[in-house]
Amino acid sequence: MAALEDLEFGKSDFVLLDEVNIEQFMENLKLRFEKARIYTFIGEGVVSVNPYKQMDIYGKEDINAYRGRELYENPPHLYAVADAAYKAMKRRAKDTCIVVSGESGAGKTEASKYIMQYIAAITNPSQRAEVESVKNVLLKSNCVLEAFGNAKTNRNDNSSRFGKYMDINFNFNGDPTGGHINNYLLEKSRVVQQNGGERNFHSFYQLLRGGSVDMLKSLHLHNDPANYVYTREGAVATTCNNDRYSHNAVLSALNVIGFSEEEIHSIYRILGTILILGNLQFETDSESVLVVGMGDVSHIAELTSTEPDNVTKSLLYRTVATGGGEVIEKGHSEKEACFGRDAFTKALYERLFGWIVGRINAVIEVKDYNPVLHGKNTVIGVLDIYGFEIFDNNSFEQFCINYCNEKLQQLFIQLILCQEQDEYKREGIIWQHIDYFNNQIIVDLVEQPHKGIISVLDEACLSVGKVTDIVCLESMDAKLGQHPHYTSRKLTPSDKTMEFHRDFRIRHYAGDVTYSVEGFLDKNKDPLFQDFKRLMFNSTLSFPLLSSLLNPVFSVLSPVFRSAVHTLLSLF
Ligand code: ADP
Ligand code: MG
């Protein structure tokens, strides 16, 4: 089992520890890390510690060292895992999946990119053009996905704000023939609001700081992110990314992937629309609510190919059905108008992102595959969801992310621990029972029917009466007060780290997280006023992307944020 490595670097496989306990585990991890060994095997998996500096371990020679070798022939590395997956796929025509898990900033996305680069490097030795082009698009897609789906958080300058599951398809030769990207849980609330010190999605800053003078002029944009409500918070945040440079890299990646000039311009028109919409304010004049500053409205109308009057109307009114089957127009209050505007920009961005992913998929999807001619089509999947998160303010998004990580932990427990122990039992191997924490109890806390947090939220969303976030919290306190992993200020009044009528805390497998219940109900409901949909759907034919984003046939109202968790988990 021992990999080729000197013992001075510690044990290269945690399986070799004399005693399995946290102290020994951490000691070994630390020793190895200090000796610049960031990877350690744990059976067939690899534990990785983020070095936060460029390591000279991903070059051509490193790739060659792992190519076609067995797991135990080389020191621990991501490449060893990638090669094992590739071999299983090639030798036994077996579909495989590499799951990358860890808290935010741990290095998951970088790891998934190294895995893809490794697979790209070891395939297509004969350099066939069509395979090279598939590989190129697969690799370039990361740059685009990160521009639109990543943002600076307080934990990671380039944090993925969506989950990604990428399938790479292979033919009988073991060469990539295409792929498919599934995206999950884009954190669209970031479009309208960010925590202190954080940024909106990179794409906005890249456009403003990197877009040409002509482009910005045609979009009616200024180049300073401080001019826009949606990017103001992040305008001063320093990051290690250069937005101007990245903008050009994204443009070139979009070109390589095959986006047309018109499509690229449409993408930026939508970003511009979102930024300008975010600056719109409303005022109340005697009885009625008005938009402040009609200049912006006309720019929005121009960018979306609609009429200014229609823009104003959909910002200020909603169409409601009366009891008698009639339809009337009801004016918004200022608050409702702001709420509607933000719901609209979030939905626009989410759909834009979905459209970009779909567009990439259309390019990389396997075409003309004939199993008789080409043999079985096998896949390697790489799952990189966003990791466990604890911030100063944790809201519904963190709740969903952390729930998803609990489910992933369940998967690990089932796949690795239970299966292994069952196998030992079956084969009559004597083994020492290791106690491990089974987090099913936390999963139940969230998803148990009639009792779990999700069911409390769903019931509240369905109820006709006025249910508030605070009422939900009370209901959770009543139903879950006895649960060992749940508490709130009301349940532990002496704990001043929580606020009354606002916070609850879950003891997750990876740590305690205090959530503020504010906004939970709205985010769970995910409303988008129908009138915006109608406005955009009627956006003239000169802007097909926008109307297709809101075309009810192709994009039904975006489902509740967390339902994506279920889709994600149904993959397994
Ligand atoms: P996660 O996806 O787990 O949130 P990332 O993969 O985005 O985290 O990593 C966060 C940052 O850590 C990266 O932007 C990079 O600066 C650094 N990093 C991660 N993995 C490595 C690595 N293998 N070598 C060097 N730096 C790394
Ligand atoms: Mg990531």
Side-chain angles (χ1 to χ4, degrees), residues 116 133-141 145 165-169 176-182 256-257 356-367:
M116 279 174 60
S133 133
V134 166
K135 290 202 306 201
N136 215 357
V137 173
L138 284 172
L139 294 176
K140 288 281 180 197
S141 66
L145 293 178
Y165 177 75
M166 184 182 237
D167 261 339
I168 307 174
N169 298 70
T177 50
H180 187 85
I181 300 161
N182 278 299
V256 170
I257 295 171
I356 292 173
V357 173
R359 185 69 186 74
I360 297 174
N361 280 335
V363 175
I364 58 178
E365 115 192 300
V366 180
K367 295 168 194 89

PDB file of all heavy atoms in Angstrom, residues 116 133-141 145 165-169 176-182 256-257 356-367:
ATOM      1  N   MET A 116      -9.133  18.072 -14.781  1.00  0.00           N
ATOM      2  CA  MET A 116      -9.508  18.175 -16.195  1.00  0.00           C
ATOM      3  C   MET A 116      -8.284  18.366 -17.086  1.00  0.00           C
ATOM      4  O   MET A 116      -8.199  17.804 -18.172  1.00  0.00           O
ATOM      5  CB  MET A 116     -10.486  19.317 -16.402  1.00  0.00           C
ATOM      6  CG  MET A 116     -11.897  18.913 -16.040  1.00  0.00           C
ATOM      7  SD  MET A 116     -12.989  20.315 -16.128  1.00  0.00           S
ATOM      8  CE  MET A 116     -12.807  20.784 -17.843  1.00  0.00           C
ATOM      9  N   SER A 133     -10.364  20.043 -30.338  1.00  0.00           N
ATOM     10  CA  SER A 133     -11.310  21.146 -30.224  1.00  0.00           C
ATOM     11  C   SER A 133     -12.280  20.911 -29.055  1.00  0.00           C
ATOM     12  O   SER A 133     -12.611  21.845 -28.307  1.00  0.00           O
ATOM     13  CB  SER A 133     -12.011  21.339 -31.570  1.00  0.00           C
ATOM     14  OG  SER A 133     -13.376  21.459 -31.416  1.00  0.00           O
ATOM     15  N   VAL A 134     -12.710  19.673 -28.849  1.00  0.00           N
ATOM     16  CA  VAL A 134     -13.574  19.364 -27.694  1.00  0.00           C
ATOM     17  C   VAL A 134     -12.827  19.697 -26.396  1.00  0.00           C
ATOM     18  O   VAL A 134     -13.368  20.343 -25.488  1.00  0.00           O
ATOM     19  CB  VAL A 134     -13.974  17.869 -27.691  1.00  0.00           C
ATOM     20  CG1 VAL A 134     -14.574  17.463 -26.346  1.00  0.00           C
ATOM     21  CG2 VAL A 134     -14.968  17.579 -28.807  1.00  0.00           C
ATOM     22  N   LYS A 135     -11.556  19.280 -26.335  1.00  0.00           N
ATOM     23  CA  LYS A 135     -10.771  19.521 -25.123  1.00  0.00           C
ATOM     24  C   LYS A 135     -10.609  21.014 -24.869  1.00  0.00           C
ATOM     25  O   LYS A 135     -10.721  21.485 -23.742  1.00  0.00           O
ATOM     26  CB  LYS A 135      -9.379  18.882 -25.272  1.00  0.00           C
ATOM     27  CG  LYS A 135      -9.425  17.377 -25.252  1.00  0.00           C
ATOM     28  CD  LYS A 135      -8.116  16.734 -24.878  1.00  0.00           C
ATOM     29  CE  LYS A 135      -6.941  17.162 -25.711  1.00  0.00           C
ATOM     30  NZ  LYS A 135      -5.833  16.179 -25.652  1.00  0.00           N
ATOM     31  N   ASN A 136     -10.370  21.725 -25.942  1.00  0.00           N
ATOM     32  CA  ASN A 136     -10.185  23.170 -25.833  1.00  0.00           C
ATOM     33  C   ASN A 136     -11.423  23.853 -25.269  1.00  0.00           C
ATOM     34  O   ASN A 136     -11.342  24.692 -24.371  1.00  0.00           O
ATOM     35  CB  ASN A 136      -9.896  23.698 -27.239  1.00  0.00           C
ATOM     36  CG  ASN A 136      -8.922  24.834 -27.190  1.00  0.00           C
ATOM     37  OD1 ASN A 136      -8.519  25.246 -26.098  1.00  0.00           O
ATOM     38  ND2 ASN A 136      -8.543  25.336 -28.340  1.00  0.00           N
ATOM     39  N   VAL A 137     -12.589  23.460 -25.778  1.00  0.00           N
ATOM     40  CA  VAL A 137     -13.824  24.073 -25.299  1.00  0.00           C
ATOM     41  C   VAL A 137     -14.072  23.701 -23.839  1.00  0.00           C
ATOM     42  O   VAL A 137     -14.458  24.551 -23.023  1.00  0.00           O
ATOM     43  CB  VAL A 137     -15.019  23.648 -26.180  1.00  0.00           C
ATOM     44  CG1 VAL A 137     -16.323  24.149 -25.588  1.00  0.00           C
ATOM     45  CG2 VAL A 137     -14.853  24.190 -27.594  1.00  0.00           C
ATOM     46  N   LEU A 138     -13.806  22.436 -23.508  1.00  0.00           N
ATOM     47  CA  LEU A 138     -13.999  22.009 -22.120  1.00  0.00           C
ATOM     48  C   LEU A 138     -13.133  22.853 -21.182  1.00  0.00           C
ATOM     49  O   LEU A 138     -13.600  23.336 -20.151  1.00  0.00           O
ATOM     50  CB  LEU A 138     -13.624  20.532 -21.952  1.00  0.00           C
ATOM     51  CG  LEU A 138     -14.627  19.504 -22.474  1.00  0.00           C
ATOM     52  CD1 LEU A 138     -14.038  18.096 -22.420  1.00  0.00           C
ATOM     53  CD2 LEU A 138     -15.925  19.542 -21.676  1.00  0.00           C
ATOM     54  N   LEU A 139     -11.888  23.046 -21.562  1.00  0.00           N
ATOM     55  CA  LEU A 139     -10.982  23.804 -20.692  1.00  0.00           C
ATOM     56  C   LEU A 139     -11.344  25.295 -20.667  1.00  0.00           C
ATOM     57  O   LEU A 139     -11.324  25.933 -19.624  1.00  0.00           O
ATOM     58  CB  LEU A 139      -9.523  23.629 -21.139  1.00  0.00           C
ATOM     59  CG  LEU A 139      -8.952  22.208 -20.981  1.00  0.00           C
ATOM     60  CD1 LEU A 139      -7.536  22.132 -21.536  1.00  0.00           C
ATOM     61  CD2 LEU A 139      -8.945  21.761 -19.516  1.00  0.00           C
ATOM     62  N   LYS A 140     -11.731  25.827 -21.821  1.00  0.00           N
ATOM     63  CA  LYS A 140     -12.069  27.260 -21.887  1.00  0.00           C
ATOM     64  C   LYS A 140     -13.367  27.579 -21.151  1.00  0.00           C
ATOM     65  O   LYS A 140     -13.595  28.711 -20.740  1.00  0.00           O
ATOM     66  CB  LYS A 140     -12.208  27.723 -23.338  1.00  0.00           C
ATOM     67  CG  LYS A 140     -10.898  27.823 -24.081  1.00  0.00           C
ATOM     68  CD  LYS A 140     -10.154  29.088 -23.716  1.00  0.00           C
ATOM     69  CE  LYS A 140      -8.845  29.169 -24.484  1.00  0.00           C
ATOM     70  NZ  LYS A 140      -7.892  30.095 -23.945  1.00  0.00           N
ATOM     71  N   SER A 141     -14.220  26.569 -21.048  1.00  0.00           N
ATOM     72  CA  SER A 141     -15.514  26.836 -20.418  1.00  0.00           C
ATOM     73  C   SER A 141     -15.325  27.283 -18.968  1.00  0.00           C
ATOM     74  O   SER A 141     -16.108  28.069 -18.448  1.00  0.00           O
ATOM     75  CB  SER A 141     -16.416  25.605 -20.494  1.00  0.00           C
ATOM     76  OG  SER A 141     -15.879  24.565 -19.716  1.00  0.00           O
ATOM     77  N   LEU A 145     -17.360  30.253 -17.104  1.00  0.00           N
ATOM     78  CA  LEU A 145     -18.203  29.930 -15.948  1.00  0.00           C
ATOM     79  C   LEU A 145     -17.745  30.692 -14.709  1.00  0.00           C
ATOM     80  O   LEU A 145     -18.559  31.154 -13.918  1.00  0.00           O
ATOM     81  CB  LEU A 145     -18.165  28.428 -15.661  1.00  0.00           C
ATOM     82  CG  LEU A 145     -18.802  27.541 -16.718  1.00  0.00           C
ATOM     83  CD1 LEU A 145     -18.647  26.073 -16.333  1.00  0.00           C
ATOM     84  CD2 LEU A 145     -20.276  27.875 -16.882  1.00  0.00           C
ATOM     85  N   TYR A 165     -21.359  20.202 -12.013  1.00  0.00           N
ATOM     86  CA  TYR A 165     -21.082  18.795 -12.245  1.00  0.00           C
ATOM     87  C   TYR A 165     -20.799  18.654 -13.731  1.00  0.00           C
ATOM     88  O   TYR A 165     -21.657  18.947 -14.562  1.00  0.00           O
ATOM     89  CB  TYR A 165     -22.272  17.922 -11.841  1.00  0.00           C
ATOM     90  CG  TYR A 165     -22.060  16.465 -12.141  1.00  0.00           C
ATOM     91  CD1 TYR A 165     -21.216  15.694 -11.350  1.00  0.00           C
ATOM     92  CD2 TYR A 165     -22.677  15.854 -13.225  1.00  0.00           C
ATOM     93  CE1 TYR A 165     -20.984  14.362 -11.631  1.00  0.00           C
ATOM     94  CE2 TYR A 165     -22.455  14.521 -13.514  1.00  0.00           C
ATOM     95  CZ  TYR A 165     -21.612  13.782 -12.718  1.00  0.00           C
ATOM     96  OH  TYR A 165     -21.379  12.467 -13.001  1.00  0.00           O
ATOM     97  N   MET A 166     -19.569  18.271 -14.030  1.00  0.00           N
ATOM     98  CA  MET A 166     -19.207  18.201 -15.437  1.00  0.00           C
ATOM     99  C   MET A 166     -18.920  16.768 -15.854  1.00  0.00           C
ATOM    100  O   MET A 166     -18.100  16.090 -15.239  1.00  0.00           O
ATOM    101  CB  MET A 166     -17.976  19.058 -15.691  1.00  0.00           C
ATOM    102  CG  MET A 166     -17.599  19.121 -17.151  1.00  0.00           C
ATOM    103  SD  MET A 166     -16.120  20.105 -17.343  1.00  0.00           S
ATOM    104  CE  MET A 166     -16.686  21.345 -18.458  1.00  0.00           C
ATOM    105  N   ASP A 167     -19.622  16.338 -16.862  1.00  0.00           N
ATOM    106  CA  ASP A 167     -19.397  15.019 -17.447  1.00  0.00           C
ATOM    107  C   ASP A 167     -18.486  15.161 -18.647  1.00  0.00           C
ATOM    108  O   ASP A 167     -18.697  16.048 -19.479  1.00  0.00           O
ATOM    109  CB  ASP A 167     -20.732  14.474 -17.996  1.00  0.00           C
ATOM    110  CG  ASP A 167     -21.368  13.506 -17.042  1.00  0.00           C
ATOM    111  OD1 ASP A 167     -20.647  12.958 -16.184  1.00  0.00           O
ATOM    112  OD2 ASP A 167     -22.585  13.272 -17.168  1.00  0.00           O
ATOM    113  N   ILE A 168     -17.488  14.293 -18.734  1.00  0.00           N
ATOM    114  CA  ILE A 168     -16.697  14.250 -19.967  1.00  0.00           C
ATOM    115  C   ILE A 168     -16.951  12.890 -20.609  1.00  0.00           C
ATOM    116  O   ILE A 168     -16.832  11.852 -19.944  1.00  0.00           O
ATOM    117  CB  ILE A 168     -15.190  14.421 -19.678  1.00  0.00           C
ATOM    118  CG1 ILE A 168     -14.965  15.675 -18.836  1.00  0.00           C
ATOM    119  CG2 ILE A 168     -14.406  14.496 -20.983  1.00  0.00           C
ATOM    120  CD1 ILE A 168     -13.521  15.838 -18.377  1.00  0.00           C
ATOM    121  N   ASN A 169     -17.353  12.901 -21.869  1.00  0.00           N
ATOM    122  CA  ASN A 169     -17.635  11.649 -22.573  1.00  0.00           C
ATOM    123  C   ASN A 169     -16.406  11.161 -23.316  1.00  0.00           C
ATOM    124  O   ASN A 169     -15.646  11.965 -23.844  1.00  0.00           O
ATOM    125  CB  ASN A 169     -18.741  11.853 -23.619  1.00  0.00           C
ATOM    126  CG  ASN A 169     -20.020  12.273 -22.979  1.00  0.00           C
ATOM    127  OD1 ASN A 169     -20.129  13.383 -22.482  1.00  0.00           O
ATOM    128  ND2 ASN A 169     -20.989  11.385 -22.967  1.00  0.00           N
ATOM    129  N   PRO A 176     -11.693  12.120 -25.411  1.00  0.00           N
ATOM    130  CA  PRO A 176     -12.917  12.882 -25.134  1.00  0.00           C
ATOM    131  C   PRO A 176     -13.677  13.214 -26.421  1.00  0.00           C
ATOM    132  O   PRO A 176     -13.080  13.662 -27.400  1.00  0.00           O
ATOM    133  CB  PRO A 176     -12.418  14.165 -24.473  1.00  0.00           C
ATOM    134  CG  PRO A 176     -10.972  14.021 -24.267  1.00  0.00           C
ATOM    135  CD  PRO A 176     -10.477  12.847 -25.023  1.00  0.00           C
ATOM    136  N   THR A 177     -14.972  12.975 -26.380  1.00  0.00           N
ATOM    137  CA  THR A 177     -15.788  13.279 -27.553  1.00  0.00           C
ATOM    138  C   THR A 177     -16.763  14.404 -27.258  1.00  0.00           C
ATOM    139  O   THR A 177     -17.460  14.885 -28.146  1.00  0.00           O
ATOM    140  CB  THR A 177     -16.607  12.054 -27.979  1.00  0.00           C
ATOM    141  OG1 THR A 177     -17.281  11.564 -26.798  1.00  0.00           O
ATOM    142  CG2 THR A 177     -15.727  10.957 -28.538  1.00  0.00           C
ATOM    143  N   GLY A 178     -16.845  14.794 -25.992  1.00  0.00           N
ATOM    144  CA  GLY A 178     -17.784  15.849 -25.652  1.00  0.00           C
ATOM    145  C   GLY A 178     -17.988  15.891 -24.158  1.00  0.00           C
ATOM    146  O   GLY A 178     -17.244  15.273 -23.395  1.00  0.00           O
ATOM    147  N   GLY A 179     -18.998  16.616 -23.770  1.00  0.00           N
ATOM    148  CA  GLY A 179     -19.246  16.721 -22.342  1.00  0.00           C
ATOM    149  C   GLY A 179     -20.557  17.410 -22.055  1.00  0.00           C
ATOM    150  O   GLY A 179     -21.300  17.777 -22.979  1.00  0.00           O
ATOM    151  N   HIS A 180     -20.830  17.547 -20.795  1.00  0.00           N
ATOM    152  CA  HIS A 180     -22.060  18.225 -20.397  1.00  0.00           C
ATOM    153  C   HIS A 180     -21.850  18.845 -19.021  1.00  0.00           C
ATOM    154  O   HIS A 180     -21.280  18.212 -18.135  1.00  0.00           O
ATOM    155  CB  HIS A 180     -23.230  17.240 -20.350  1.00  0.00           C
ATOM    156  CG  HIS A 180     -24.536  17.920 -20.102  1.00  0.00           C
ATOM    157  ND1 HIS A 180     -25.288  18.470 -21.118  1.00  0.00           N
ATOM    158  CD2 HIS A 180     -25.198  18.194 -18.955  1.00  0.00           C
ATOM    159  CE1 HIS A 180     -26.371  19.033 -20.599  1.00  0.00           C
ATOM    160  NE2 HIS A 180     -26.330  18.883 -19.286  1.00  0.00           N
ATOM    161  N   ILE A 181     -22.314  20.086 -18.876  1.00  0.00           N
ATOM    162  CA  ILE A 181     -22.171  20.767 -17.586  1.00  0.00           C
ATOM    163  C   ILE A 181     -23.558  20.938 -16.970  1.00  0.00           C
ATOM    164  O   ILE A 181     -24.472  21.433 -17.618  1.00  0.00           O
ATOM    165  CB  ILE A 181     -21.559  22.172 -17.783  1.00  0.00           C
ATOM    166  CG1 ILE A 181     -20.174  22.061 -18.430  1.00  0.00           C
ATOM    167  CG2 ILE A 181     -21.478  22.915 -16.450  1.00  0.00           C
ATOM    168  CD1 ILE A 181     -19.701  23.358 -19.066  1.00  0.00           C
ATOM    169  N   ASN A 182     -23.688  20.481 -15.726  1.00  0.00           N
ATOM    170  CA  ASN A 182     -24.893  20.796 -14.966  1.00  0.00           C
ATOM    171  C   ASN A 182     -24.531  21.878 -13.973  1.00  0.00           C
ATOM    172  O   ASN A 182     -23.514  21.760 -13.294  1.00  0.00           O
ATOM    173  CB  ASN A 182     -25.339  19.579 -14.149  1.00  0.00           C
ATOM    174  CG  ASN A 182     -26.124  18.603 -14.982  1.00  0.00           C
ATOM    175  OD1 ASN A 182     -27.172  18.935 -15.501  1.00  0.00           O
ATOM    176  ND2 ASN A 182     -25.599  17.404 -15.119  1.00  0.00           N
ATOM    177  N   VAL A 256     -13.585  31.364 -28.670  1.00  0.00           N
ATOM    178  CA  VAL A 256     -13.103  30.002 -28.919  1.00  0.00           C
ATOM    179  C   VAL A 256     -14.250  29.003 -28.805  1.00  0.00           C
ATOM    180  O   VAL A 256     -14.391  28.088 -29.616  1.00  0.00           O
ATOM    181  CB  VAL A 256     -11.984  29.622 -27.913  1.00  0.00           C
ATOM    182  CG1 VAL A 256     -11.658  28.139 -27.992  1.00  0.00           C
ATOM    183  CG2 VAL A 256     -10.742  30.458 -28.166  1.00  0.00           C
ATOM    184  N   ILE A 257     -15.107  29.215 -27.802  1.00  0.00           N
ATOM    185  CA  ILE A 257     -16.209  28.267 -27.606  1.00  0.00           C
ATOM    186  C   ILE A 257     -17.190  28.339 -28.770  1.00  0.00           C
ATOM    187  O   ILE A 257     -17.807  27.328 -29.125  1.00  0.00           O
ATOM    188  CB  ILE A 257     -16.918  28.549 -26.265  1.00  0.00           C
ATOM    189  CG1 ILE A 257     -15.955  28.289 -25.103  1.00  0.00           C
ATOM    190  CG2 ILE A 257     -18.165  27.683 -26.101  1.00  0.00           C
ATOM    191  CD1 ILE A 257     -16.462  28.742 -23.758  1.00  0.00           C
ATOM    192  N   ILE A 356     -25.965  30.663 -20.761  1.00  0.00           N
ATOM    193  CA  ILE A 356     -24.553  30.518 -21.132  1.00  0.00           C
ATOM    194  C   ILE A 356     -24.125  29.050 -20.989  1.00  0.00           C
ATOM    195  O   ILE A 356     -23.491  28.486 -21.884  1.00  0.00           O
ATOM    196  CB  ILE A 356     -23.657  31.444 -20.262  1.00  0.00           C
ATOM    197  CG1 ILE A 356     -23.923  32.902 -20.617  1.00  0.00           C
ATOM    198  CG2 ILE A 356     -22.182  31.109 -20.439  1.00  0.00           C
ATOM    199  CD1 ILE A 356     -23.232  33.919 -19.709  1.00  0.00           C
ATOM    200  N   VAL A 357     -24.522  28.440 -19.869  1.00  0.00           N
ATOM    201  CA  VAL A 357     -24.174  27.028 -19.662  1.00  0.00           C
ATOM    202  C   VAL A 357     -24.792  26.166 -20.769  1.00  0.00           C
ATOM    203  O   VAL A 357     -24.143  25.293 -21.345  1.00  0.00           O
ATOM    204  CB  VAL A 357     -24.638  26.538 -18.266  1.00  0.00           C
ATOM    205  CG1 VAL A 357     -24.422  25.033 -18.124  1.00  0.00           C
ATOM    206  CG2 VAL A 357     -23.901  27.277 -17.161  1.00  0.00           C
ATOM    207  N   GLY A 358     -26.046  26.467 -21.082  1.00  0.00           N
ATOM    208  CA  GLY A 358     -26.735  25.702 -22.126  1.00  0.00           C
ATOM    209  C   GLY A 358     -26.054  25.869 -23.486  1.00  0.00           C
ATOM    210  O   GLY A 358     -25.934  24.921 -24.268  1.00  0.00           O
ATOM    211  N   ARG A 359     -25.595  27.074 -23.731  1.00  0.00           N
ATOM    212  CA  ARG A 359     -24.928  27.378 -24.999  1.00  0.00           C
ATOM    213  C   ARG A 359     -23.609  26.602 -25.096  1.00  0.00           C
ATOM    214  O   ARG A 359     -23.269  26.069 -26.149  1.00  0.00           O
ATOM    215  CB  ARG A 359     -24.710  28.895 -25.048  1.00  0.00           C
ATOM    216  CG  ARG A 359     -24.156  29.480 -26.298  1.00  0.00           C
ATOM    217  CD  ARG A 359     -25.153  29.388 -27.441  1.00  0.00           C
ATOM    218  NE  ARG A 359     -24.507  29.841 -28.662  1.00  0.00           N
ATOM    219  CZ  ARG A 359     -23.595  29.136 -29.331  1.00  0.00           C
ATOM    220  NH1 ARG A 359     -23.259  27.941 -28.911  1.00  0.00           N
ATOM    221  NH2 ARG A 359     -23.045  29.615 -30.420  1.00  0.00           N
ATOM    222  N   ILE A 360     -22.867  26.555 -23.989  1.00  0.00           N
ATOM    223  CA  ILE A 360     -21.621  25.784 -23.976  1.00  0.00           C
ATOM    224  C   ILE A 360     -21.947  24.302 -24.190  1.00  0.00           C
ATOM    225  O   ILE A 360     -21.304  23.608 -24.972  1.00  0.00           O
ATOM    226  CB  ILE A 360     -20.847  25.978 -22.640  1.00  0.00           C
ATOM    227  CG1 ILE A 360     -20.421  27.437 -22.483  1.00  0.00           C
ATOM    228  CG2 ILE A 360     -19.639  25.049 -22.564  1.00  0.00           C
ATOM    229  CD1 ILE A 360     -19.775  27.776 -21.146  1.00  0.00           C
ATOM    230  N   ASN A 361     -23.000  23.852 -23.506  1.00  0.00           N
ATOM    231  CA  ASN A 361     -23.388  22.446 -23.652  1.00  0.00           C
ATOM    232  C   ASN A 361     -23.721  22.090 -25.096  1.00  0.00           C
ATOM    233  O   ASN A 361     -23.389  21.010 -25.573  1.00  0.00           O
ATOM    234  CB  ASN A 361     -24.580  22.123 -22.749  1.00  0.00           C
ATOM    235  CG  ASN A 361     -24.140  21.897 -21.313  1.00  0.00           C
ATOM    236  OD1 ASN A 361     -22.980  21.534 -21.065  1.00  0.00           O
ATOM    237  ND2 ASN A 361     -25.040  22.114 -20.371  1.00  0.00           N
ATOM    238  N   ALA A 362     -24.382  23.031 -25.761  1.00  0.00           N
ATOM    239  CA  ALA A 362     -24.749  22.753 -27.152  1.00  0.00           C
ATOM    240  C   ALA A 362     -23.500  22.538 -28.001  1.00  0.00           C
ATOM    241  O   ALA A 362     -23.497  21.743 -28.942  1.00  0.00           O
ATOM    242  CB  ALA A 362     -25.580  23.915 -27.716  1.00  0.00           C
ATOM    243  N   VAL A 363     -22.418  23.236 -27.648  1.00  0.00           N
ATOM    244  CA  VAL A 363     -21.173  23.086 -28.410  1.00  0.00           C
ATOM    245  C   VAL A 363     -20.479  21.767 -28.077  1.00  0.00           C
ATOM    246  O   VAL A 363     -19.980  21.078 -28.963  1.00  0.00           O
ATOM    247  CB  VAL A 363     -20.213  24.270 -28.122  1.00  0.00           C
ATOM    248  CG1 VAL A 363     -18.872  24.056 -28.800  1.00  0.00           C
ATOM    249  CG2 VAL A 363     -20.829  25.574 -28.580  1.00  0.00           C
ATOM    250  N   ILE A 364     -20.464  21.418 -26.792  1.00  0.00           N
ATOM    251  CA  ILE A 364     -19.661  20.239 -26.416  1.00  0.00           C
ATOM    252  C   ILE A 364     -20.456  18.941 -26.413  1.00  0.00           C
ATOM    253  O   ILE A 364     -19.885  17.878 -26.200  1.00  0.00           O
ATOM    254  CB  ILE A 364     -18.965  20.417 -25.031  1.00  0.00           C
ATOM    255  CG1 ILE A 364     -19.990  20.693 -23.931  1.00  0.00           C
ATOM    256  CG2 ILE A 364     -17.912  21.484 -25.092  1.00  0.00           C
ATOM    257  CD1 ILE A 364     -19.350  20.828 -22.551  1.00  0.00           C
ATOM    258  N   GLU A 365     -21.759  19.028 -26.627  1.00  0.00           N
ATOM    259  CA  GLU A 365     -22.540  17.794 -26.557  1.00  0.00           C
ATOM    260  C   GLU A 365     -22.048  16.798 -27.619  1.00  0.00           C
ATOM    261  O   GLU A 365     -21.612  17.199 -28.706  1.00  0.00           O
ATOM    262  CB  GLU A 365     -24.023  18.110 -26.721  1.00  0.00           C
ATOM    263  CG  GLU A 365     -24.632  17.544 -27.958  1.00  0.00           C
ATOM    264  CD  GLU A 365     -26.000  18.101 -28.252  1.00  0.00           C
ATOM    265  OE1 GLU A 365     -26.895  17.940 -27.423  1.00  0.00           O
ATOM    266  OE2 GLU A 365     -26.157  18.690 -29.332  1.00  0.00           O
ATOM    267  N   VAL A 366     -22.083  15.526 -27.262  1.00  0.00           N
ATOM    268  CA  VAL A 366     -21.585  14.512 -28.188  1.00  0.00           C
ATOM    269  C   VAL A 366     -22.532  14.414 -29.375  1.00  0.00           C
ATOM    270  O   VAL A 366     -23.738  14.256 -29.207  1.00  0.00           O
ATOM    271  CB  VAL A 366     -21.517  13.144 -27.487  1.00  0.00           C
ATOM    272  CG1 VAL A 366     -20.991  12.085 -28.434  1.00  0.00           C
ATOM    273  CG2 VAL A 366     -20.642  13.240 -26.250  1.00  0.00           C
ATOM    274  N   LYS A 367     -21.970  14.590 -30.555  1.00  0.00           N
ATOM    275  CA  LYS A 367     -22.822  14.566 -31.744  1.00  0.00           C
ATOM    276  C   LYS A 367     -22.510  13.324 -32.567  1.00  0.00           C
ATOM    277  O   LYS A 367     -21.396  12.813 -32.548  1.00  0.00           O
ATOM    278  CB  LYS A 367     -22.582  15.818 -32.582  1.00  0.00           C
ATOM    279  CG  LYS A 367     -23.016  17.070 -31.835  1.00  0.00           C
ATOM    280  CD  LYS A 367     -22.521  18.330 -32.512  1.00  0.00           C
ATOM    281  CE  LYS A 367     -22.669  19.512 -31.572  1.00  0.00           C
ATOM    282  NZ  LYS A 367     -21.495  19.714 -30.734  1.00  0.00           N
TER     283      LYS A 367
END
